Amino acid sequence: MVGLLGATAGGLLLGVVGVLAAASVIAAVLRARMGARNPELIGNLVQRIGAWWAMVVVLAAVLALGETATLLLFLVLTWLSLREFLTISPTGRADHRTLVWLFFVVTPLHYWFVWEHWYGMFSVFIPVYAFLFLPVRAALAGRTEGFLRRAAAVQWAAMVCVYAVSHIPAVLQLPVAMEHGRHVAEGSAPGSGGEAGALLLLFLLLVVQGSDVFQYVWGKTLGRRPIAPSVSPNKTWEGFVGGVLTATALGAALSFLTPFPWWVAALFAFVSCLLGFGGGLVMSAIKRDRGIKDFGSLIPGHGGIMDRIDSLVFAAPVFFHLVRFFYA
C-alpha cells in the first residue's frame, strides 16, 4: 500500500494536533477553575476533545497506510452507521434476510467498486440496482404490514450510510481523474490515489467539520433566533450564518490544498457547508421522530458515528460530483 501523507498533508495534521493540544490545555484550565460548578459541561468538553484526538490519530494512520486502508476504515464506519440507523428504524424479523443482503453483499460490493476506481458502477450500483433489488427481496418475505415504511427505511439506510458515506474516501481518487481525464481515471489501478487526494480529502473534512464547530461557537455566543426549534432548538440563524461564512473563509485560506483557485475553493466550501447544515438538520429530524437524543454512544461526547458524520454524508457526494464534473 502506498501512503498518502506527504510533507504538506503531514504538516497540516501537525497543525491540527497543535490546535487539539491547545484545546486540551484550555480544557484542563477550565476543569481546574470551573469543574466543581459545571462538572457535566466541562466533562463533556473533555470527552469531546479526547474523541477528536482519537479520530485524528486514526485518520492520520490510515492515510499513512494508503487508499486501501482508508477505504477499509470507511467500510467499517459504514457498517457501524448502518447498525445505528437500522436499530432505530421500523424494520422487523421479516426484514432480516434483506438486511443480510444490505450488510454483507451490497455494502462490500459497493466499496469494491470504489476501490477498483470503477466510477460507472460505483455511481449507479446503489441508486439503481440495490434500490430495485432490496424492496423485491423484502416483498419475498411475505409481510405486507408496514411494507412501505420498512422498505423506505432500508432504502434510506443504503443511500445515507453506504452510498453517501463512501463518497468521503472516494475523494481520494479525484486528483487522478483531474490529471488523466475521466476515462483513464476510471480504469486506473486500485489504490492509486496519492497525496493530492489526501489533501483534497483533508480540505473537505476540515471545512465541513470546521463549519460544525464554528456554528456551535457562533450559536453559543450570539445565537438568538432558532431556525427550526421543533427539530433542533440549538441551531440558530446567527450560528448558521456565522459558522458557514467562517468556514467558507477557511476554505479560501486552505485553497493551497486543492487544485482550485481560492475563489473556487471558497465556493465549494460554501456549498459543502450549506449541505452539511442540511445533513445535520435532517438527522436531527430523524432522531426527533424516533424519540432519541443520539444515534449511539460509540464516540464519547459526540454520540454515535452518524452523529459525527451527519454533515459529511450530505456534503461529500455533492462535493465529489461537483469537482469531478468541473475539473476532471
Side-chain angles (χ1 to χ4, degrees):
M1 290 186 289
V2 179
L4 305 174
L5 289 183
T8 304
L12 185 65
L13 285 171
L14 283 176
V16 173
V17 167
V19 171
L20 286 176
S24 298
V25 172
I26 293 172
V29 172
L30 290 175
R31 170 176 268 181
R33 293 185 176 182
M34 302 172 55
R37 284 178 291 167
N38 296 288
E40 185 176 348
L41 177 64
I42 301 302
N44 182 261
L45 176 63
V46 171
Q47 280 187 325
R48 282 176 172 263
I49 294 172
W52 274 114
W53 273 108
M55 289 186 284
V56 169
V57 168
V58 170
L59 179 64
V62 296
L63 288 176
L65 289 172
E67 183 182 332
T68 300
T70 306
L71 278 170
L72 288 174
L73 169 66
F74 280 94
L75 173 60
V76 172
L77 294 179
T78 285
W79 274 325
L80 292 172
S81 61
L82 265 178
R83 182 178 179 276
E84 292 176 353
F85 198 95
L86 291 168
T87 296
I88 67 167
S89 298
T91 54
R93 183 172 297 179
D95 302 303
H96 176 73
R97 292 188 178 181
T98 304
L99 298 181
V100 168
W101 274 91
L102 175 57
F103 268 85
F104 301 113
V105 179
V106 171
T107 297
L109 193 55
H110 175 75
Y111 268 87
W112 182 72
F113 295 141
V114 180
W115 181 73
E116 282 281 350
H117 292 200
W118 191 354
Y119 172 77
M121 187 57 83
F122 154 63
S123 61
V124 303
F125 176 62
I126 287 179
V128 178
Y129 300 109
F131 177 84
L132 298 173
F133 169 76
L134 291 171
V136 171
R137 183 64 194 82
L140 288 172
R143 182 189 169 196
T144 58
E145 181 184 356
F147 179 81
L148 180 59
R149 194 174 38 156
R150 289 164 28 233
V154 174
Q155 301 283 35
W156 255 83
M159 286 299 295
V160 172
C161 302
V162 187
Y163 188 69
V165 171
S166 70
H167 279 79
I168 304 172
V171 169
L172 294 170
Q173 303 170 12
L174 286 172
V176 180
M178 293 177 207
E179 183 178 351
H180 301 293
R182 287 189 181 91
H183 300 295
V184 175
E186 187 166 336
S188 56
S192 60
E195 185 190 5
L199 293 176
L200 203 58
L201 176 60
L202 289 173
F203 172 84
L204 175 66
L205 294 176
L206 287 171
V207 165
V208 176
Q209 296 296 301
S211 179
D212 287 350
V213 173
F214 294 138
Q215 286 179 48
Y216 177 82
V217 172
W218 283 103
K220 286 296 183 182
T221 53
L222 298 177
R224 297 292 183 272
R225 294 171 294 175
I227 296 176
S230 62
V231 176
S232 183
N234 293 325
K235 295 184 186 297
T236 64
W237 283 106
E238 294 82 2
F240 167 66
V241 173
V244 169
L245 292 181
T246 305
T248 299
L250 175 64
L254 293 175
S255 62
F256 68 93
L257 300 177
T258 76
F260 325 129
W262 70 267
W263 61 272
V264 174
L267 180 61
F268 282 172
F270 178 71
V271 172
S272 298
C273 292
L274 291 181
L275 287 158
F277 172 81
L281 193 65
V282 168
M283 294 304 156
S284 293
I286 291 173
K287 288 184 284 187
R288 289 275 178 177
D289 173 58
R290 306 310 296 171
I292 59 173
K293 180 179 181 294
D294 297 315
F295 278 100
S297 57
L298 186 63
I299 308 176
H302 294 264
I305 299 296
M306 285 303 299
D307 295 294
R308 186 60 272 150
I309 64 172
D310 54 2
S311 53
L312 281 166
V313 296
F314 271 53
V318 176
F319 177 80
F320 176 92
H321 290 287
L322 280 176
V323 174
R324 195 175 193 279
F325 182 81
F326 286 106
Y327 281 86

